[in-house]
């Protein structure tokens, strides 16, 4: 039997498992490894900052995703030995593999800023979001109109913007005395994106009474104040850091080509080891079949210039597409066939600010940037579609799961209407796939 092991339960990992279940034949065994027994809908986890009761709606149990024939192993990956073809777990157990798909995601980067890691919350997990909620709640208890609590979000990328919007929504929802500051090192929010898009997002943030401080590079953090380059400081009660990511520590000693613990992979998702594939935030995927792997600078250029073609952005949509195609390539490799090259097609960007949203560059839309009800509906449609894609069919045939208890019956009703918007704008289309030479 050929043993295929998938590491991670993020967007890339879930999509890879579902694809491999479709593509592998009966002569292959599939094992899925994750630290958590659920998939976290990370692009919606910030909702728990405002309302912890929605936690059940941002997680999907692994047994609602994978087939019964797929073996699930709960554990934290600490290393991958490409010579022995084994995955080492934190409990010191090993899993053998013939082919390994690395989808371990990323972790927050602190860039060596003194005190930042010790004093700041991150937004990496469900627990993080719940902890932020409790910290804001505690800070607001002793606040007043003349002496409000101050919540500072560092980093005005996608995560930082959506976090600041949700903190503002929590403040308004609870009628609390809280100031919300969004701090960004660059001179503009959502650095490098279209100026019209940036302006629309900034308008939404300001409409939600979020104070925006750009051109502010954090140099040091202590328990109640942030120091900036140039000598300025800002007191805070709660600090959330969303200023960047890097690869997981478990990839630091793996004998494949990496950069900042992210594996270099070609456009078929193969790494420098033919038995190891890498996708999602764990990978630096080169979309040029004739070129070499992208540098860290190339990756950043793709993040801030999403229309570029050199490498896919580190987004949920790209990770889902990579997962779909990696399953095909693993199966083709096992069968002795040529893998297919993949390239990402950007179908648009959506950013939420509280209950509102801003969309830009949406395929099929006659308007380049738009907000209001159309953007809100489209964002909800995309989230609903992902839940149906990743869990709908399997959960329905398992008695006792959330879907069996009726949750998905409500979701199905909403999806019949919401997905019309996503279908209209081409969100069913995946990246181009062409046979490798």
């Amino acid at each position: 039997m050929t043993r295929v092991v998938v590491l991670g339960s993020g967007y890339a990992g879930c999509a890879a498992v579902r694809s491999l279940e479709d593509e592998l034949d009966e002569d292959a065994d599939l094992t899925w490894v994750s630290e958590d027994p659920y998939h976290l809908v990370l692009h919606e986890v910030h909702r728990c900052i405002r309302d912890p009761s929605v936690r059940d709606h941002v997680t999907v149990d692994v047994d609602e995703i994978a087939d019964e024939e797929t073996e699930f192993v709960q554990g934290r990956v600490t290393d991958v030995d490409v010579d022995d073809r084994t995955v080492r777990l934190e409990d010191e157990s090993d899993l053998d593999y013939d082919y390994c798909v690395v989808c371990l995601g990323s972790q927050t980067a602190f860039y060596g800023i003194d005190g930042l890691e010790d004093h700041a919350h991150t937004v990496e997990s469900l627990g993080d979001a719940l902890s932020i909620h409790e910290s804001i709640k505690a800070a607001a208890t002793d606040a007043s109109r003349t002496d409000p609590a101050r919540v500072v979000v560092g980093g005005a990328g996608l995560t930082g913007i959506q976090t600041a919007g949700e903190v503002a929504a929590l403040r308004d929802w609870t009628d609390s005395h809280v100031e919300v500051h969004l701090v960004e090192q660059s001179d503009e929010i959502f650095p490098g994106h279209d100026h019209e898009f940036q302006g629309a997002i900034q308008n939404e943030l300001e409409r939600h009474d979020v104070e925006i401080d750009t051109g502010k590079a954090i140099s040091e953090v202590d328990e109640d104040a942030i120091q900036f380059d140039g000598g300025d400081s800002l007191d805070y009660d709660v600090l959330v850091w969303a200023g960047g990511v890097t690869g997981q520590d478990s990839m630091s000693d793996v004998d494949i080509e990496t950069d900042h613990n992210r594996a270099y992979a070609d456009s078929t998702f193969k790494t420098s080891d033919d038995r190891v594939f890498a996708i999602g935030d764990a990978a630096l995927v080169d979309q040029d079949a004739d070129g070499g792997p992208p540098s860290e600078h190339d990756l950043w250029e793709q993040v801030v210039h999403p229309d570029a073609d050199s490498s896919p952005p580190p987004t949920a949509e790209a990770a889902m597409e990579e997962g779909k195609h990696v399953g095909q390539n693993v199966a083709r490799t096992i069968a002795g066939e040529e893998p297919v090259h993949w390239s990402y097609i950007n179908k648009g960007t959506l950013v939420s600010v509280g209950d509102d949203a801003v969309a830009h560059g949406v395929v099929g839309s006659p308007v380049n940037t738009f907000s209001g009800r159309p953007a809100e509906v489209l964002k909800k449609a995309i989230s609903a579609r992902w839940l149906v894609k990743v869990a709908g069919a399997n959960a329905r045939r398992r008695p006792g799961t959330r879907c069996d208890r009726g949750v998905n019956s409500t979701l199905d009703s909403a999806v019949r209407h919401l997905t019309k918007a996503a279908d209209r704008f081409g969100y069913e289309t995946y990246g181009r796939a062409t046979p490798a030479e």
Side-chain angles (χ1 to χ4, degrees), residues 385-405:
R385 289 190 68 135
W386 170 241
L387 291 174
V388 169
K389 281 177 178 294
V390 77
N394 279 359
R396 282 187 186 82
R397 62 174 183 257
R398 286 196 178 89
T401 64
R402 285 203 301 268
C403 292
D404 184 63
R405 294 194 293 269

Side-chain angles (χ1 to χ4, degrees), residues 268-289:
T268 70
F269 309 116
K270 283 190 176 183
T271 67
S272 55
D273 184 284
D274 287 342
R275 297 295 184 118
V276 178
F277 295 73
I279 58 174
D281 284 359
L284 299 173
V285 177
D286 176 21
Q287 295 187 102
D288 181 2

